[in-house]
Amino acid sequence: MDKREVYLDNSATTKLDEDVLEAMMPYFTEYYGNSLSQYGFSRKCAQAVDDARYSVAKAIDCKPVEVYFTSCGSEANSWAVRGGALSGRKRGSHVILSKIEHPSIMNSGKWLTQNGFDVTYLDVDKYGMVHEDELRKAIREDTVLISIMLANNEIGTIQNIPALAAIAHANGIVFHTDCVQAMGLIDVNVKKLGVDMLTISAHKFYGPKGVGVLYVRSGLIIDRLINGGGQERGMRGGTTNTPLIVGMGVAIEKAVTETDTNAAKITLMRDRMIERIKNEIPDVILNGHPRQRLPSNVNFAFNYIEGESILMRLDLEGIAVSSGSACSSGSLEPSHVLLATGLPVERAHGSIRFSIGKHNTMEDIDYTVDKLKVIIAQLREMSPLYKPQDRVKEV
Amino acid sequence: MDKREVYLDNSATTKLDEDVLEAMMPYFTEYYGNSLSQYGFSRKCAQAVDDARYSVAKAIDCKPVEVYFTSCGSEANSWAVRGGALSGRKRGSHVILSKIEHPSIMNSGKWLTQNGFDVTYLDVDKYGMVHEDELRKAIREDTVLISIMLANNEIGTIQNIPALAAIAHANGIVFHTDCVQAMGLIDVNVKKLGVDMLTISAHKFYGPKGVGVLYVRSGLIIDRLINGGGQERGMRGGTTNTPLIVGMGVAIEKAVTETDTNAAKITLMRDRMIERIKNEIPDVILNGHPRQRLPSNVNFAFNYIEGESILMRLDLEGIAVSSGSACSSGSLEPSHVLLATGLPVERAHGSIRFSIGKHNTMEDIDYTVDKLKVIIAQLREMSPLYKPQDRVKEV
Amino acid sequence: MYNQKVIDAFSNPKNVGEIENPDGIGTVGNATCGDIMQITLRIENDIITDAKFKTFGCAAAVATSSTATEMVKGMSIDQALKLTNAKVVEALGELPAQKMHCSVLAEEAIKAAIEDYLSKKNK
Amino acid sequence: MYNQKVIDAFSNPKNVGEIENPDGIGTVGNATCGDIMQITLRIENDIITDAKFKTFGCAAAVATSSTATEMVKGMSIDQALKLTNAKVVEALGELPAQKMHCSVLAEEAIKAAIEDYLSKKNK
Ligand SMILES: Cc1ncc(COP(=O)(O)O)c(C=O)c1O
Ligand SMILES: Cc1ncc(COP(=O)(O)O)c(C=O)c1O
């Protein structure tokens, strides 16, 4: 078996599409003007930004004036949670998040706590699902904002956002959802989801790094996060980043067109990978939901061993994966998402996320599982926790 | 005289340098990994980000760990002012800015006011200079932060930051300076300036749009603006934007190497332009300081007529300039900077900024002044304010 | 930001100037707001036979002044009093939202000039 | 993140396993923190003649275990007690700051194994 380069970390970031890059190119050195300037030289930039805004609006089914370009998903999330809460302060100071949100949301919640807000973190079940009853119970008179993600970045669990958003609205509460992982893999439609705010980030669907979108329903006014001049209708400062915004526009158009084909192809790879790992490697636990799951996500706890060792051994075979959340890699904390699903700490430490992208092939999957089997066996041999008799017991 | 394309709006944004773009290219589609990931595929990205951080540190004379990458100057400014003030809240709630700061600073000041802070805006003299005495008078027991820009974006006035920062430090107050316009044209050195925080933005010195830097002196801890994972040592969320950060690194290296030659060349053009306008067009006022001035900045009030008309007529001749601040173009408000220098409102309305870049030539300057003379005369003929007898009086 | 019609009207404005000893003169706006418009009319038997303008203002102000003065020539003063800014803008195609106030100035300046004519006539 | 020496020590670790009926055994850390290290020693006349390890832990834990067990072989127990984590890290070149605690575990596990030996011997 020849060594391959297998990138299975598409939930961390994806390869920029060549078409997208090509569309961006003229805006670097040729049409480099400030899109807000009044002279003819900038007209092409302004038009390009308008077009991209229109593409995003069409993709998520909203009006172009409801699209705000940001520098990333984290900015959009911080803006939605902090800005949404601050602008609601007159009505109350309680915010509800789930326990499995991305660090940009979790830490915005922490920021709110330090700034006079009260934050409730909703429990999830062992599959990572937020239950409607939990949300209903958490709502208070003074709740001003709820933020629950559509698809989780670590375990891929997909929430029933329409139902959760409806509960929020029945109580007059603004609802935000983080769709950074969902975009391009499942339907992301603000009308169908019924949300007031929504976050996406281009680099998760083969667009450039450094450009995200916050959708804000027209009529809803939130506090600003990045102050500046008149950009983004006065809501987000910074000289308009025309090339990256153009990249977002082309990437989202392509993502929407390709969602069904990509999802179908990726789901096949996911299902084969899950099957093979379950059948061929003993003592593993599939993290996340068996069905309500992103097409791209495979996440397993490999008992008795630790994630970084697995990651590094796979790396030596040319396979790129992530242990816990890629965003917090390098940290020693076990994943807050896995812990929220009730996984014991040592199993959380031994979990690996494989995230499949449109460039992967079935050969990548088979190569990975073949290598993985050997690596897991070797590492278990090295583990003081692994006693073959335990295995026999558990099987 | 053939029609030329003359870009004289380099203070708004600059043409991305071809070398910089070339350095960025491999990081779009080839080394697209998440720089924080632990596998080998991302090592090259991590190295590239480290290198860029080192280049910035070397350019502004600080340690690499004091460099935080942001998405733009506006973000860095918002972060410094809001984050610097919030983290100082225990010590006090008074902040000092000048009246001629960029909108990202001015509006951050407004945000602070809405959030329980008291903000003093320092007056400037008719040249746009902040006086040390004004600063001394404004300082209070509870002042926690001072932010004054090194070079103004509209009128080019350069402040004596070392003296102002020394006053801040004598009173134990944190000092931030916005060097977005200064970088690449004059020396920007955190040690010589003696500041605690400093902002730059790559697109002002032939780097890409969408990447800025906030320097934060080590030991100083400020409140976060964009929450997220472990990026930027936990201080700024968002998947690391490797290509743009690489662009910043190469652009700043080049900017530092070229500062002297570019500044010399640009100063010659500036001085000729100022001389010619003063000599050949009656009833004009040079805005800004006669000597303490950015090499690139020419800003005149053309009495009796309105800026947008001048801008549009120049545009028809292929010349791109800015009326008031480019960032607030499209707004009807007269420039707050010009008003702060005491210019009457109607003269502020009739002001034009020409900002010269390294790609301009003396021919561009002469062509512009030749066209300008005709345009000003024609527009004055159209103006109800213009009475030739007034002119005779004033001359 | 502006369409081609506006840019044309701005770059080759018609009726620039001031009628000497006009029958009606109207000046509206002020420099502080960034727009002043002065319209002078020659009126014979309540018919506008000539109109000229001077403007301190943006491209939209110049274009609407030029268009409005073209439109009122030949109109009776009653017709001219009914000329709304909407009609001036229509003639130009469209204006950016933040520039609509400039078209109001043209309407107002014409009304002011006609009122000036009427008040002089009634004296 | 890791240098080549660490990666080599991690990918081809020496002394993996468990000595049967060891003269000293030391287990430190716990799975909750993400690291457990078990070291077993064969000690003859206060000289360490063999050392093996098992580790539940990151690459740094594996590499330091491998290196530390290599280093103590042939040492007297007095020498081995003086083996600091700094020396183990030195042998590997360097470790990322957030991984330094793993090298401490190797030092502690060896100490624990020697103490176990001494306590058995004194019984
Ligand atoms: C002085 C000054 N500060 C800050 C900024 C903001 O920079 P950016 O466009 O990168 O947000 C600008 C430019 O727009 C500027 O001129
Ligand atoms: C669910 C989720 N939300 C937000 C983010 C943040 O996106 P970005 O890296 O663009 O800041 C990510 C990815 O890192 C994510 O997976």
Short mmCIF file of all heavy atoms in Angstrom, two decimals, chain A residues 304-306 308-309 312-313 316 330 332 345-346 349 381-386, chain D residues 2 7 10-11 13 16 31-34 36 54-59 98-99:
data_model
loop_
_atom_site.label_atom_id
_atom_site.label_comp_id
_atom_site.label_asym_id
_atom_site.label_seq_id
_atom_site.Cartn_x
_atom_site.Cartn_y
_atom_site.Cartn_z
N TYR A 304 -8.95 3.44 25.68
CA TYR A 304 -7.62 3.10 26.23
C TYR A 304 -6.48 3.95 25.68
O TYR A 304 -5.36 3.84 26.18
CB TYR A 304 -7.25 1.62 26.02
CG TYR A 304 -8.37 0.66 26.32
CD1 TYR A 304 -8.81 -0.25 25.37
CD2 TYR A 304 -8.99 0.69 27.58
CE1 TYR A 304 -9.85 -1.10 25.64
CE2 TYR A 304 -10.04 -0.17 27.86
CZ TYR A 304 -10.47 -1.06 26.89
OH TYR A 304 -11.50 -1.91 27.16
N ILE A 305 -6.72 4.73 24.63
CA ILE A 305 -5.58 5.50 24.11
C ILE A 305 -5.96 6.95 23.92
O ILE A 305 -7.13 7.33 24.00
CB ILE A 305 -5.04 4.90 22.79
CG1 ILE A 305 -6.17 4.70 21.81
CG2 ILE A 305 -4.29 3.61 23.08
CD1 ILE A 305 -5.73 4.08 20.50
N GLU A 306 -4.93 7.71 23.65
CA GLU A 306 -5.09 9.16 23.70
C GLU A 306 -5.05 9.73 22.28
O GLU A 306 -4.29 9.24 21.43
CB GLU A 306 -3.95 9.72 24.57
CG GLU A 306 -4.14 11.11 25.07
CD GLU A 306 -3.47 12.10 24.16
OE1 GLU A 306 -2.75 11.69 23.20
OE2 GLU A 306 -3.68 13.30 24.37
N GLU A 308 -4.02 12.55 20.71
CA GLU A 308 -2.89 13.15 20.01
C GLU A 308 -1.96 12.09 19.44
O GLU A 308 -1.40 12.26 18.36
CB GLU A 308 -2.11 14.08 20.93
CG GLU A 308 -1.16 14.96 20.12
CD GLU A 308 -0.04 15.52 20.95
OE1 GLU A 308 -0.25 16.57 21.59
OE2 GLU A 308 1.07 14.93 20.95
N SER A 309 -1.80 11.00 20.19
CA SER A 309 -0.93 9.93 19.68
C SER A 309 -1.50 9.35 18.39
O SER A 309 -0.76 9.05 17.46
CB SER A 309 -0.80 8.82 20.71
OG SER A 309 -0.03 9.28 21.80
N MET A 312 -0.95 11.85 15.61
CA MET A 312 0.43 11.94 15.15
C MET A 312 0.82 10.70 14.34
O MET A 312 1.57 10.79 13.37
CB MET A 312 1.37 12.08 16.34
CG MET A 312 1.16 13.34 17.14
SD MET A 312 2.27 14.67 16.66
CE MET A 312 3.82 13.81 16.53
N ARG A 313 0.32 9.54 14.76
CA ARG A 313 0.66 8.34 14.01
C ARG A 313 -0.01 8.36 12.64
O ARG A 313 0.59 7.95 11.64
CB ARG A 313 0.21 7.09 14.79
CG ARG A 313 1.07 6.83 16.01
CD ARG A 313 2.52 6.49 15.64
NE ARG A 313 2.69 5.09 15.34
CZ ARG A 313 3.10 4.19 16.23
NH1 ARG A 313 3.41 4.54 17.45
NH2 ARG A 313 3.21 2.94 15.88
N LEU A 316 1.98 10.52 10.40
CA LEU A 316 3.17 9.88 9.84
C LEU A 316 2.81 9.04 8.61
O LEU A 316 3.67 8.75 7.78
CB LEU A 316 3.86 9.02 10.91
CG LEU A 316 4.46 9.81 12.07
CD1 LEU A 316 4.90 8.89 13.20
CD2 LEU A 316 5.65 10.66 11.61
N GLY A 330 -3.95 21.96 20.41
CA GLY A 330 -2.82 22.56 21.10
C GLY A 330 -3.22 22.83 22.55
O GLY A 330 -2.38 23.05 23.39
N LEU A 332 -4.88 21.50 26.14
CA LEU A 332 -4.85 20.22 26.83
C LEU A 332 -6.22 19.84 27.36
O LEU A 332 -6.42 18.76 27.87
CB LEU A 332 -3.85 20.27 27.98
CG LEU A 332 -2.42 20.61 27.55
CD1 LEU A 332 -1.60 21.02 28.75
CD2 LEU A 332 -1.80 19.40 26.86
N VAL A 345 -14.03 11.59 30.62
CA VAL A 345 -12.88 12.40 30.21
C VAL A 345 -11.85 11.61 29.42
O VAL A 345 -11.38 12.05 28.37
CB VAL A 345 -12.21 13.05 31.43
CG1 VAL A 345 -10.99 13.85 30.99
CG2 VAL A 345 -13.18 13.95 32.16
N GLU A 346 -11.51 10.39 29.88
CA GLU A 346 -10.42 9.69 29.20
C GLU A 346 -10.86 9.23 27.81
O GLU A 346 -10.04 9.11 26.91
CB GLU A 346 -9.86 8.53 30.04
CG GLU A 346 -10.77 7.35 30.23
CD GLU A 346 -11.70 7.55 31.43
OE1 GLU A 346 -11.86 8.70 31.88
OE2 GLU A 346 -12.28 6.55 31.89
N HIS A 349 -10.55 12.24 25.64
CA HIS A 349 -9.13 12.40 25.26
C HIS A 349 -8.75 11.48 24.10
O HIS A 349 -7.82 11.76 23.38
CB HIS A 349 -8.22 12.10 26.45
CG HIS A 349 -8.00 13.27 27.35
ND1 HIS A 349 -7.45 14.44 26.93
CD2 HIS A 349 -8.26 13.43 28.67
CE1 HIS A 349 -7.37 15.27 27.95
NE2 HIS A 349 -7.86 14.70 29.01
N GLU A 381 -1.27 -1.47 22.73
CA GLU A 381 -0.21 -2.28 23.33
C GLU A 381 0.61 -1.46 24.29
O GLU A 381 1.17 -1.95 25.27
CB GLU A 381 0.72 -2.85 22.25
CG GLU A 381 0.18 -4.07 21.53
CD GLU A 381 -0.36 -5.10 22.52
OE1 GLU A 381 0.36 -5.44 23.48
OE2 GLU A 381 -1.51 -5.55 22.33
N MET A 382 0.69 -0.18 24.02
CA MET A 382 1.52 0.72 24.80
C MET A 382 0.77 1.29 26.00
O MET A 382 1.35 1.99 26.81
CB MET A 382 1.87 1.90 23.88
CG MET A 382 3.33 2.22 23.80
SD MET A 382 3.50 3.73 22.84
CE MET A 382 4.08 3.05 21.32
N SER A 383 -0.53 1.02 26.07
CA SER A 383 -1.34 1.71 27.06
C SER A 383 -1.45 0.96 28.37
O SER A 383 -1.75 -0.24 28.39
CB SER A 383 -2.75 1.95 26.51
OG SER A 383 -3.59 2.39 27.56
N PRO A 384 -1.21 1.64 29.48
CA PRO A 384 -1.36 0.98 30.79
C PRO A 384 -2.83 0.72 31.12
O PRO A 384 -3.11 -0.03 32.04
CB PRO A 384 -0.76 2.01 31.75
CG PRO A 384 -0.88 3.33 31.07
CD PRO A 384 -0.81 3.06 29.59
N LEU A 385 -3.75 1.34 30.36
CA LEU A 385 -5.17 1.13 30.65
C LEU A 385 -5.71 -0.10 29.95
O LEU A 385 -6.78 -0.59 30.28
CB LEU A 385 -5.98 2.34 30.17
CG LEU A 385 -5.64 3.68 30.80
CD1 LEU A 385 -6.50 4.76 30.18
CD2 LEU A 385 -5.84 3.63 32.31
N TYR A 386 -4.98 -0.55 28.93
CA TYR A 386 -5.49 -1.60 28.08
C TYR A 386 -5.12 -2.97 28.59
O TYR A 386 -3.94 -3.32 28.63
CB TYR A 386 -4.94 -1.41 26.67
CG TYR A 386 -5.46 -2.41 25.68
CD1 TYR A 386 -6.82 -2.46 25.36
CD2 TYR A 386 -4.59 -3.30 25.05
CE1 TYR A 386 -7.28 -3.37 24.44
CE2 TYR A 386 -5.05 -4.20 24.13
CZ TYR A 386 -6.41 -4.24 23.83
OH TYR A 386 -6.88 -5.15 22.91
N TYR D 2 6.33 19.56 17.08
CA TYR D 2 7.41 18.75 17.66
C TYR D 2 8.62 18.73 16.75
O TYR D 2 8.49 18.75 15.53
CB TYR D 2 6.93 17.31 17.85
CG TYR D 2 5.85 17.13 18.89
CD1 TYR D 2 4.59 16.67 18.53
CD2 TYR D 2 6.11 17.40 20.23
CE1 TYR D 2 3.60 16.49 19.50
CE2 TYR D 2 5.12 17.21 21.19
CZ TYR D 2 3.87 16.76 20.82
OH TYR D 2 2.91 16.57 21.78
N ILE D 7 9.60 13.33 17.26
CA ILE D 7 8.77 12.52 16.37
C ILE D 7 9.37 11.13 16.19
O ILE D 7 8.67 10.12 16.21
CB ILE D 7 8.57 13.25 15.01
CG1 ILE D 7 7.74 14.52 15.26
CG2 ILE D 7 7.88 12.34 14.00
CD1 ILE D 7 7.54 15.39 14.05
N PHE D 10 8.84 9.15 19.26
CA PHE D 10 7.43 8.79 19.36
C PHE D 10 7.07 7.66 18.39
O PHE D 10 6.35 6.74 18.73
CB PHE D 10 6.56 10.03 19.07
CG PHE D 10 5.14 9.73 18.75
CD1 PHE D 10 4.28 9.25 19.75
CD2 PHE D 10 4.64 9.88 17.46
CE1 PHE D 10 2.96 8.94 19.46
CE2 PHE D 10 3.32 9.57 17.17
CZ PHE D 10 2.48 9.10 18.17
N SER D 11 7.63 7.76 17.18
CA SER D 11 7.17 6.76 16.20
C SER D 11 7.90 5.43 16.33
O SER D 11 7.37 4.40 15.91
CB SER D 11 7.24 7.32 14.77
OG SER D 11 8.27 8.24 14.61
N PRO D 13 9.25 4.06 19.48
CA PRO D 13 9.61 4.12 20.90
C PRO D 13 10.34 2.85 21.34
O PRO D 13 10.05 1.76 20.85
CB PRO D 13 8.25 4.24 21.60
CG PRO D 13 7.28 3.63 20.66
CD PRO D 13 7.81 3.89 19.28
N VAL D 16 8.93 -0.34 25.09
CA VAL D 16 7.49 -0.40 25.30
C VAL D 16 7.13 -1.72 25.95
O VAL D 16 7.64 -2.77 25.57
CB VAL D 16 6.73 -0.28 23.97
CG1 VAL D 16 5.23 -0.51 24.18
CG2 VAL D 16 6.98 1.07 23.33
N ALA D 31 -6.04 9.37 33.83
CA ALA D 31 -6.61 9.47 32.50
C ALA D 31 -7.41 10.77 32.33
O ALA D 31 -7.52 11.30 31.23
CB ALA D 31 -7.49 8.27 32.22
N THR D 32 -7.94 11.28 33.43
CA THR D 32 -8.73 12.50 33.35
C THR D 32 -7.89 13.67 32.83
O THR D 32 -8.36 14.51 32.08
CB THR D 32 -9.28 12.84 34.74
OG1 THR D 32 -9.89 11.67 35.25
CG2 THR D 32 -10.29 13.95 34.66
N CYS D 33 -6.63 13.66 33.25
CA CYS D 33 -5.74 14.73 32.78
C CYS D 33 -5.18 14.39 31.40
O CYS D 33 -4.46 15.18 30.81
CB CYS D 33 -4.59 14.93 33.74
SG CYS D 33 -5.16 15.28 35.39
N GLY D 34 -5.45 13.20 30.94
CA GLY D 34 -4.99 12.87 29.59
C GLY D 34 -3.65 12.19 29.55
O GLY D 34 -3.11 11.95 28.47
N ILE D 36 -1.30 9.02 31.52
CA ILE D 36 -0.92 8.06 32.57
C ILE D 36 0.39 7.42 32.14
O ILE D 36 0.55 7.07 30.96
CB ILE D 36 -1.94 6.91 32.73
CG1 ILE D 36 -3.32 7.48 33.04
CG2 ILE D 36 -1.49 5.94 33.81
CD1 ILE D 36 -4.35 6.38 33.20
N LYS D 54 4.61 1.88 29.81
CA LYS D 54 3.34 1.96 29.09
C LYS D 54 2.80 3.37 29.31
O LYS D 54 2.91 3.91 30.42
CB LYS D 54 2.34 0.93 29.61
CG LYS D 54 2.63 -0.48 29.12
CD LYS D 54 1.42 -1.37 29.32
CE LYS D 54 1.58 -2.66 28.52
NZ LYS D 54 0.29 -3.41 28.50
N THR D 55 2.20 3.91 28.27
CA THR D 55 1.71 5.29 28.40
C THR D 55 0.37 5.46 27.72
O THR D 55 0.17 4.98 26.61
CB THR D 55 2.74 6.27 27.78
OG1 THR D 55 3.80 6.44 28.70
CG2 THR D 55 2.11 7.62 27.48
N PHE D 56 -0.53 6.10 28.46
CA PHE D 56 -1.74 6.64 27.83
C PHE D 56 -1.47 8.12 27.78
O PHE D 56 -1.43 8.80 28.81
CB PHE D 56 -2.96 6.34 28.72
CG PHE D 56 -4.21 7.09 28.34
CD1 PHE D 56 -5.13 6.53 27.47
CD2 PHE D 56 -4.46 8.36 28.86
CE1 PHE D 56 -6.29 7.23 27.13
CE2 PHE D 56 -5.62 9.05 28.52
CZ PHE D 56 -6.53 8.48 27.64
N GLY D 57 -1.16 8.61 26.58
CA GLY D 57 -0.80 10.03 26.56
C GLY D 57 -0.39 10.48 25.19
O GLY D 57 -0.44 9.72 24.22
N CYS D 58 0.01 11.73 25.15
CA CYS D 58 0.29 12.38 23.87
C CYS D 58 1.68 11.96 23.36
O CYS D 58 2.40 11.20 24.00
CB CYS D 58 0.24 13.88 24.04
SG CYS D 58 1.49 14.48 25.16
N ALA D 59 2.04 12.45 22.21
CA ALA D 59 3.31 12.12 21.59
C ALA D 59 4.48 12.47 22.50
O ALA D 59 5.47 11.74 22.59
CB ALA D 59 3.44 12.86 20.26
N GLN D 98 3.56 23.86 26.24
CA GLN D 98 2.37 23.24 26.86
C GLN D 98 2.53 21.73 27.02
O GLN D 98 1.64 21.07 27.55
CB GLN D 98 1.11 23.60 26.07
CG GLN D 98 0.91 22.86 24.76
CD GLN D 98 1.53 23.56 23.57
OE1 GLN D 98 2.56 24.22 23.70
NE2 GLN D 98 0.93 23.43 22.39
N LYS D 99 3.66 21.18 26.58
CA LYS D 99 3.89 19.75 26.71
C LYS D 99 4.94 19.42 27.77
O LYS D 99 5.28 18.25 27.98
CB LYS D 99 4.34 19.16 25.37
CG LYS D 99 3.27 19.24 24.29
CD LYS D 99 2.09 18.33 24.60
CE LYS D 99 1.05 18.36 23.48
NZ LYS D 99 -0.10 17.52 23.81
#
